[in-house]
Coordinates of all heavy atoms in Angstrom, one line a residue:
Chain B
I4 N 49.9 -56.7 -10.9 CA 48.9 -56.7 -9.8 C 48.0 -55.5 -9.9 O 48.6 -54.4 -10.1 CB 49.6 -56.8 -8.4 CG1 50.4 -58.1 -8.2 CG2 48.6 -56.6 -7.3 CD1 49.5 -59.3 -7.9
T5 N 46.7 -55.7 -9.8 CA 45.8 -54.5 -9.9 C 45.0 -54.5 -8.6 O 44.3 -55.5 -8.3 CB 44.9 -54.6 -11.1 OG1 45.7 -54.7 -12.3 CG2 44.0 -53.4 -11.2
Q6 N 45.0 -53.4 -7.9 CA 44.2 -53.1 -6.8 C 43.3 -51.9 -7.1 O 43.9 -50.8 -7.3 CB 45.0 -52.9 -5.5 CG 45.8 -54.1 -5.0 CD 46.6 -53.8 -3.8 OE1 47.8 -53.7 -3.9 NE2 45.9 -53.7 -2.7
T7 N 42.0 -52.1 -7.3 CA 41.2 -51.0 -7.8 C 40.6 -50.1 -6.8 O 39.9 -49.2 -7.2 CB 40.0 -51.7 -8.6 OG1 39.3 -52.6 -7.8 CG2 40.6 -52.5 -9.8
Q8 N 40.8 -50.4 -5.5 CA 40.2 -49.6 -4.5 C 41.3 -48.7 -3.8 O 42.1 -49.2 -3.0 CB 39.6 -50.5 -3.4 CG 38.6 -51.5 -3.9 CD 38.5 -52.7 -3.0 OE1 39.5 -53.3 -2.6 NE2 37.3 -53.1 -2.6
P9 N 41.4 -47.5 -4.2 CA 42.4 -46.6 -3.6 C 42.2 -46.4 -2.1 O 43.1 -46.3 -1.3 CB 42.3 -45.3 -4.3 CG 41.4 -45.5 -5.4 CD 40.6 -46.8 -5.2
G10 N 40.9 -46.3 -1.7 CA 40.6 -46.2 -0.3 C 39.3 -46.9 0.1 O 38.4 -47.0 -0.7
M11 N 39.2 -47.3 1.3 CA 38.0 -47.9 1.8 C 37.8 -47.5 3.3 O 38.7 -47.4 4.1 CB 38.1 -49.5 1.8 CG 38.0 -50.0 0.4 SD 37.6 -51.8 0.5 CE 36.0 -51.8 1.1
F12 N 36.5 -47.3 3.6 CA 36.1 -46.9 5.0 C 35.1 -47.9 5.5 O 34.1 -48.2 4.8 CB 35.5 -45.5 4.9 CG 36.4 -44.4 4.5 CD1 36.6 -44.1 3.2 CD2 37.1 -43.7 5.4 CE1 37.5 -43.2 2.8 CE2 38.0 -42.7 5.1 CZ 38.2 -42.4 3.7
V13 N 35.4 -48.5 6.7 CA 34.6 -49.5 7.2 C 34.4 -49.2 8.7 O 35.3 -48.7 9.4 CB 35.4 -50.9 7.1 CG1 34.6 -52.0 7.8 CG2 35.5 -51.2 5.6
Q14 N 33.2 -49.6 9.2 CA 32.9 -49.5 10.6 C 33.6 -50.6 11.4 O 33.7 -51.8 10.9 CB 31.4 -49.6 10.9 CG 30.6 -48.3 10.5 CD 31.1 -47.1 11.3 OE1 31.6 -46.1 10.7 NE2 30.9 -47.2 12.6
E15 N 34.1 -50.3 12.6 CA 34.7 -51.2 13.4 C 33.8 -52.5 13.6 O 32.6 -52.3 13.7 CB 35.0 -50.6 14.8 CG 35.9 -51.4 15.7 CD 36.1 -50.7 17.0 OE1 35.5 -49.6 17.2 OE2 36.9 -51.1 17.8
K16 N 34.4 -53.6 13.7 CA 33.8 -54.9 13.9 C 33.1 -55.5 12.6 O 32.7 -56.7 12.6 CB 32.7 -54.9 15.0 CG 33.3 -54.5 16.3 CD 32.3 -54.5 17.4 CE 32.9 -54.0 18.8 NZ 31.9 -53.9 19.8
E17 N 33.0 -54.7 11.5 CA 32.5 -55.2 10.3 C 33.6 -56.0 9.6 O 34.8 -55.8 9.8 CB 32.0 -54.1 9.4 CG 30.7 -53.5 9.9 CD 30.2 -52.4 8.9 OE1 30.9 -52.1 7.9 OE2 29.1 -52.0 9.2
A18 N 33.2 -56.9 8.7 CA 34.2 -57.6 7.8 C 34.5 -56.7 6.6 O 33.6 -55.9 6.2 CB 33.7 -58.9 7.3
V19 N 35.7 -56.8 6.0 CA 36.0 -56.0 4.8 C 36.8 -56.9 3.8 O 37.5 -57.8 4.2 CB 36.9 -54.8 5.3 CG1 38.1 -55.2 6.0 CG2 37.3 -53.9 4.1
T20 N 36.5 -56.6 2.6 CA 37.2 -57.3 1.5 C 38.0 -56.4 0.7 O 37.4 -55.4 0.2 CB 36.2 -58.1 0.6 OG1 35.5 -59.1 1.4 CG2 36.9 -58.8 -0.5
L21 N 39.3 -56.6 0.5 CA 40.1 -55.8 -0.3 C 40.4 -56.6 -1.6 O 40.9 -57.7 -1.5 CB 41.4 -55.5 0.4 CG 41.3 -54.8 1.8 CD1 42.6 -54.5 2.4 CD2 40.5 -53.6 1.7
D22 N 40.2 -55.9 -2.7 CA 40.3 -56.6 -4.0 C 41.7 -56.6 -4.6 O 42.4 -55.7 -4.4 CB 39.3 -55.9 -5.0 CG 37.9 -56.0 -4.6 OD1 37.5 -56.9 -3.9 OD2 37.1 -55.2 -5.2
C23 N 42.0 -57.7 -5.2 CA 43.3 -57.9 -5.9 C 43.1 -58.8 -7.1 O 42.6 -59.9 -7.0 CB 44.3 -58.5 -5.0 SG 45.9 -58.9 -5.7
T24 N 43.5 -58.3 -8.3 CA 43.5 -59.2 -9.4 C 44.9 -59.2 -10.0 O 45.7 -58.2 -9.7 CB 42.6 -58.7 -10.6 OG1 42.9 -57.4 -10.9 CG2 41.1 -58.8 -10.1
Y25 N 45.3 -60.3 -10.6 CA 46.7 -60.4 -11.1 C 46.7 -60.9 -12.5 O 45.8 -61.5 -13.0 CB 47.5 -61.3 -10.1 CG 46.9 -62.7 -10.0 CD1 47.4 -63.7 -10.9 CD2 45.9 -63.0 -9.1 CE1 46.9 -65.0 -10.8 CE2 45.4 -64.3 -9.0 CZ 45.9 -65.3 -9.9 OH 45.4 -66.6 -9.8
D26 N 47.9 -60.8 -13.1 CA 48.1 -61.4 -14.4 C 49.6 -61.9 -14.4 O 50.5 -61.2 -14.0 CB 47.9 -60.3 -15.5 CG 47.8 -60.9 -16.9 OD1 47.6 -62.1 -17.0 OD2 48.0 -60.2 -17.9
T27 N 49.7 -63.1 -14.9 CA 51.1 -63.7 -15.0 C 51.1 -64.8 -16.0 O 50.0 -65.4 -16.3 CB 51.5 -64.2 -13.7 OG1 52.8 -64.8 -13.8 CG2 50.6 -65.3 -13.2
S28 N 52.2 -65.0 -16.6 CA 52.4 -66.2 -17.5 C 53.1 -67.3 -16.8 O 53.3 -68.4 -17.4 CB 53.2 -65.7 -18.8 OG 54.4 -65.2 -18.4
D29 N 53.5 -67.1 -15.5 CA 54.2 -68.2 -14.8 C 53.2 -69.3 -14.5 O 52.1 -69.0 -14.0 CB 54.8 -67.6 -13.5 CG 56.0 -66.7 -13.8 OD1 56.7 -67.0 -14.7 OD2 56.1 -65.7 -13.0
P30 N 53.6 -70.5 -14.6 CA 52.7 -71.6 -14.3 C 52.5 -71.8 -12.8 O 51.6 -72.4 -12.3 CB 53.4 -72.8 -15.0 CG 54.8 -72.5 -15.0 CD 54.9 -71.0 -15.2
S31 N 53.5 -71.4 -12.0 CA 53.5 -71.6 -10.6 C 53.9 -70.2 -10.0 O 54.9 -69.6 -10.3 CB 54.5 -72.6 -10.2 OG 54.5 -72.8 -8.8
Y32 N 53.1 -69.8 -9.0 CA 53.3 -68.4 -8.5 C 52.7 -68.4 -7.1 O 52.0 -69.2 -6.6 CB 52.7 -67.4 -9.3 CG 51.3 -67.6 -9.7 CD1 50.2 -67.1 -8.9 CD2 50.9 -68.3 -10.9 CE1 48.9 -67.4 -9.2 CE2 49.6 -68.6 -11.2 CZ 48.6 -68.1 -10.4 OH 47.3 -68.3 -10.7
G33 N 53.2 -67.4 -6.3 CA 52.7 -67.1 -5.0 C 52.1 -65.8 -4.9 O 52.5 -64.8 -5.5
L34 N 51.0 -65.6 -4.1 CA 50.3 -64.4 -3.9 C 50.5 -64.0 -2.4 O 50.3 -64.8 -1.5 CB 48.9 -64.5 -4.3 CG 48.7 -64.8 -5.8 CD1 47.4 -65.5 -6.0 CD2 48.7 -63.5 -6.5
F35 N 50.7 -62.7 -2.1 CA 51.0 -62.2 -0.8 C 50.1 -61.0 -0.5 O 49.8 -60.2 -1.4 CB 52.4 -61.8 -0.7 CG 53.4 -62.9 -1.0 CD1 53.7 -63.2 -2.3 CD2 54.1 -63.6 0.0 CE1 54.7 -64.2 -2.6 CE2 55.0 -64.5 -0.2 CZ 55.3 -64.8 -1.5
W36 N 49.8 -60.8 0.8 CA 49.3 -59.5 1.2 C 50.2 -59.0 2.3 O 50.6 -59.8 3.2 CB 47.8 -59.7 1.8 CG 46.8 -59.7 0.7 CD1 46.3 -60.8 0.0 CD2 46.1 -58.6 0.2 NE1 45.3 -60.4 -0.9 CE2 45.2 -59.0 -0.8 CE3 46.2 -57.2 0.4 CZ2 44.4 -58.2 -1.5 CZ3 45.4 -56.3 -0.3 CH2 44.5 -56.8 -1.3
Y37 N 50.5 -57.7 2.2 CA 51.2 -57.0 3.2 C 50.4 -55.8 3.8 O 49.7 -55.2 3.0 CB 52.6 -56.5 2.6 CG 53.6 -57.5 2.5 CD1 53.7 -58.4 1.4 CD2 54.6 -57.7 3.5 CE1 54.7 -59.3 1.2 CE2 55.6 -58.7 3.3 CZ 55.7 -59.5 2.2 OH 56.7 -60.4 2.1
K38 N 50.7 -55.5 5.0 CA 50.1 -54.4 5.7 C 51.2 -53.3 5.9 O 52.2 -53.7 6.4 CB 49.4 -54.8 7.0 CG 48.9 -53.7 7.9 CD 48.3 -54.3 9.2 CE 47.8 -53.2 10.1 NZ 47.3 -53.8 11.4
Q39 N 50.9 -52.1 5.6 CA 51.8 -51.0 5.9 C 51.2 -50.0 6.8 O 50.5 -49.1 6.3 CB 52.4 -50.4 4.6 CG 53.6 -49.5 4.9 CD 54.2 -48.9 3.6 OE1 53.4 -48.6 2.7 NE2 55.5 -48.8 3.5
P40 N 51.4 -50.0 8.1 CA 50.8 -48.9 8.9 C 51.6 -47.6 8.7 O 52.5 -47.6 7.9 CB 51.1 -49.5 10.4 CG 51.8 -50.7 10.3 CD 52.1 -51.0 8.8
S41 N 51.1 -46.6 9.4 CA 51.8 -45.3 9.2 C 53.2 -45.3 9.6 O 54.0 -44.4 9.1 CB 51.0 -44.2 10.0 OG 50.9 -44.6 11.4
S42 N 53.7 -46.2 10.4 CA 55.1 -46.3 10.7 C 56.0 -46.6 9.5 O 57.2 -46.4 9.6 CB 55.3 -47.3 11.8 OG 54.8 -48.6 11.4
G43 N 55.4 -47.2 8.5 CA 56.1 -47.5 7.3 C 56.6 -48.9 7.0 O 56.9 -49.3 5.9
E44 N 56.6 -49.7 8.1 CA 57.1 -51.0 7.9 C 56.1 -52.0 7.2 O 55.0 -51.9 7.5 CB 57.5 -51.6 9.3 CG 58.4 -52.9 9.2 CD 59.1 -53.2 10.5 OE1 59.2 -52.3 11.3 OE2 59.7 -54.3 10.6
M45 N 56.6 -52.8 6.3 CA 55.7 -53.7 5.6 C 55.6 -55.0 6.5 O 56.6 -55.6 6.8 CB 56.3 -54.1 4.3 CG 56.5 -52.9 3.3 SD 54.9 -52.4 2.6 CE 54.7 -53.7 1.4

Side-chain angles (χ1 to χ4, degrees):
Chain B
I4 294 282
T5 302
Q6 294 180 254
T7 58
Q8 305 153 312
M11 286 196 69
F12 296 84
V13 174
Q14 285 299 119
E15 189 180 7
K16 299 180 185 177
E17 290 184 352
V19 56
T20 298
L21 304 182
D22 294 341
C23 172
T24 57
Y25 62 91
D26 194 19
T27 182
S28 56
D29 290 324
S31 179
Y32 50 89
L34 295 154
F35 303 78
W36 278 92
Y37 281 86
K38 172 183 179 181
Q39 188 178 42
S41 56
S42 60
E44 192 160 348
M45 299 284 283

